[in-house]
Amino acid sequence: MDLSKIRNIGIIAHIDAGKTTVTERILYYTGKEHRMGEVHDGTATMDWMEEEQERGITITSAATTCTWQEHRVNIIDTPGHVDFTAEVERSLRVLDGAIGVFDAVEGVEAQSETVWRQADKYHVPRIAFINKMDRVGADFPKAIESIRIRLGARPVVLALPLGQERGYRGVIDVLARRAVVWDDETLGSEYGFEEVPPEDLAAVEAAREAAVEAAADCDDELATRYLEGEDLTEEHIVNGLRRGTCAMKLTPVLCGSALKNKGIQLLLDAVIRYLPSPLDVPPVSGPNPDTGRTEVRAADPEAPFCGLAFKTFADRHGDLTYVRIYSGTLEAGMQVLNTRAERKERAGRILVMHADQREAVDRMQCGNIVALIGLKSTSTGHTIADPRHPIILEAPTFPETVISMAIEPRTNEDKDRLGEALARLAKDDPTFTSKVDPETGQMIVSGMGELHLEVLRNRLTRDFGVEANVGRPRVAYKETIAGIAEVNCKFAKQTGGRGQYAHVILRVEPAVAGNGASPHGLEFESRVTGGDVPRQFIPPVEQGARSAAQAGARWGYPVIDVKVTLLGGSSHPVDSSDLAFQTAGSIAFKQAMEKAGAVLLEPVMRLEIHVPEEYYGNIVHDLNGRRAVIDEMAIAGHVRNVRGSVPLSEMFGYSTTIRSLSQGRATFTMEPLKYQSVPEGLADKVW
C-alpha cells in the first residue's frame, strides 16, 4: 500500500471525555463495524475486557484498523485513567499522530494535560475534538481557551458548533463556509449541507481568517500570497495547516457530539488532511549494537527490517507482541534478532488486530502496527530487526510505582502458579512489579494506584485462575538527606588466616531532586588520587553504597537524590578484597546518611475535583484534614473545579469518602506529581 495513505493515530484524553465513543463511531462510519457499541451498555468493541465492560472505562489500549477515503487508518484507543498511564505512554511512542478529545463542559482536565505532555515528549502531532457539544453547560470558546492556556497550544478552529446544549444540531465547516447537519434517522450515517445562519457569519469569517493566518505562518509561499492579497483556495489553506500540524506549531480544532452521532466524519476528514503519514515523520535512528555507530532507518519497504515492540499481552489464545514496523517488510515465519536481549526469534504469525479479534496476514510492510505470535524473549521496549542489519531503537520510559500491597495465595495450588502469573503480568505492564520482602517473606506487588492493583488482582483470577488475598495498600516512600556529611571508615577483621581490610573516606550530599514520580537514584563519583584505593576496589565500594541505599538508612526505604563521592582511603596488600571494600562502602554509607540527617519522602499526587457548589464546603473541609494544598479553584456554572496536591498516603479509600460527602455527584482524578518531605511529627509513625 502507498505509505502516504497510512495514518497511525491514537485517541487520547481525560477519563470520560468520550474517547471510546469517538472510536466506536469511527468504526461504524468507516464500515468496520455494522453495529454501534456503547460504553454505558458494556457493548463497546474497543472495551472488550470483562473488567472494562463492568467498570465502563478503558483499561488497556486496544488497536484496530479501518479505511476512510482510500486511506488505511490504524487506531489505538488509550485509557484515560491515570492508573493506566503506561498504556498511553507506550502507545504514543509508536504513533505518528493523535486525536485529543476534550469535554465541551470541562475543557482541559488533569489527565488531558498529562497525555498532552506525553505526546509532546514523543513529538506526536495532534488535532483536537471538542466533544459533548450537546451537554448542558457546553462552552466551546471556553474549551478553546483552556487548550490555549493550560496546554500552551495554538488551537486553530476549523469547525464551529451549530447551536449548543439542547439546541445543538451540527457543525459549521469554517473553510468551506457551510453548515453540516446529521440525520438522526440513520444514526448520523447521512448528513446534508445548509447555508450558515446569518447570526454565525461573522464568527465563521473570523475563524477562517485566523486559520488562513495560521497556515501562512507555516508556509513561506503561502505567506507571500497572503501578504500580496491573493485569494487563497481551500487546498492552499489545508496544505499550510497540514505543514504546521506536522511540525507541531498548531492544533486544528473540530467539534461535535460522538454520543449523538455528529461531527465524526469531519473528524476523519481532518485525520487524513492534517495528521502525518509514515513518510511525513523523521526516520528512526539508533546505535548498531555491533559497531556502536548510529544508523538511520527510513520508512522504505525495501530497507532492512526493524520494528519496536511496544506492548505484550497474554490472552486466552496465546501471547501477543504488538510491534510498530518502522522499515522494511516483515513476513510470517521470518527470523528476527531481538537486539536488546541479543536473541534470535521467529515471528511465527502476523496478525492485524481489531480489539480482541485477529486476522492473520502473510506479510506486512513498514508504516503499520501488527501483533506477532511466536516471540518468546521480547518485552516492551525491545527492538526486533534483520539479523544482518541490527539496530536498537529508543524505548518508551515509564513512571515509577507509587503504591504497594502484600499478596498471598489462598491455597498451595495457587502458590505454585502465583509467581508465574505475577511474572507474566509484570512483562505485560511495565508499571507493575512484584518482589519478595526479604524481612517478612511476603510477596509485595506495586503499581500506579488502588484501581490499577485491583484490576491486576482480578486478572489473576480471570486470566490465570489464581485466587489470592491482598493486604492494605502501602505507599512507596523514599529516603534522602538534609545536609552534607563526610565519614572515615575502616573495616578490619582478623580470623586467624587471611583477614579482611578496607579503608574508605566517603562524602554524601544532596543531588538534584527528581521532583516527580521518577526520582533520581544514587549518583556515585570517585575522586581518589595517587592510588590510595586501588582501581579494582572502587566498583565494590560503589556496589556496597548502592546496596545500602536500596535497604534504606533509617526507615528501610530506598534512598534517592543523593550523591556519593569516594574521596580516598587505603588498602592492605594481602587482606584487602572486593568483599572487604564492598562491606566498607556499605558501612560508610550508612554512617554518612545518619550524620547528614536522613529525611523521609512521600509521593504527592496532583488532585483535581469537580464538585457541585452545595457540597464544596464538605469537600474542602475533608481535604484540609488530609494535608492537601489547594492551588486553584474555578467556578463553572454550579460546579466548582478544585485543583491542588495531596500526599498519596492520605487518599486511600477516597473514592468512597467523596461519594458520601457529595451524594455521589463529585468526581476526582489524581496523578503523580512529586516527592516531598514527610512532616517531622509523622515520619516516625510510618512503618
Side-chain angles (χ1 to χ4, degrees), residues 196-411:
V196 176
E199 63 271 20
D200 292 320
L201 284 173
V204 171
E205 289 305 315
R208 195 175 194 280
E209 183 65 19
V212 171
E213 289 181 7
D217 287 345
C218 303
D219 187 317
D220 293 340
E221 182 183 344
L222 203 62
T224 302
R225 292 185 177 186
Y226 176 67
L227 293 173
E228 291 176 353
E230 277 192 45
D231 188 17
L232 301 178
T233 66
E234 185 174 337
E235 183 181 359
H236 287 142
I237 302 169
V238 167
N239 289 339
L241 292 175
R242 177 182 177 79
R243 187 170 283 107
T245 304
C246 292
M248 295 178 60
K249 293 180 179 178
L250 54 85
T251 304
V253 180
L254 296 97
C255 63
S257 170
L259 188 63
K260 295 300 174 65
N261 313 313
K262 294 175 172 62
I264 302 301
Q265 289 90 340
L266 266 64
L267 178 62
L268 279 166
D269 290 343
V271 168
I272 305 304
R273 280 180 159 186
Y274 305 115
L275 291 182
S277 73
L279 297 176
D280 297 317
V281 297
V284 294
S285 62
N288 181 316
D290 294 337
T291 65
R293 291 195 299 266
T294 299
E295 297 195 6
V296 176
R297 294 283 192 275
D300 179 358
E302 303 302 321
F305 164 76
C306 80
L308 181 70
F310 65 94
K311 176 184 171 79
T312 61
F313 190 81
D315 72 0
R316 59 186 180 275
H317 301 299
D319 294 352
L320 298 176
T321 304
Y322 288 79
V323 174
R324 164 68 192 269
I325 304 175
Y326 281 103
S327 68
T329 301
L330 179 66
E331 297 183 357
M334 180 172 158
Q335 188 180 71
V336 296
L337 174 67
N338 181 329
T339 55
R340 285 193 182 270
E342 298 182 342
R343 290 188 180 182
K344 289 185 177 180
E345 303 248 50
R346 190 169 298 280
R349 297 177 65 199
I350 304 173
L351 306 174
V352 175
M353 299 300 296
H354 178 48
D356 63 335
Q357 301 169 30
R358 51 186 72 182
E359 174 192 348
V361 295
D362 294 330
R363 65 202 310 268
M364 187 62 74
Q365 68 177 22
C366 59
N368 284 289
I369 294 171
V370 296
L372 304 181
I373 292 180
L375 303 185
K376 304 298 183 185
S377 304
T378 303
S379 300
T380 299
H382 286 185
T383 302
I384 56 174
D386 183 334
R388 295 165 299 177
H389 301 88
I391 187 174
I392 300 177
L393 303 178
E394 179 189 3
T397 56
F398 302 99
E400 285 199 11
T401 56
V402 296
I403 188 171
S404 302
M405 62 172 58
I407 185 169
E408 59 182 25
R410 292 184 182 176
T411 66

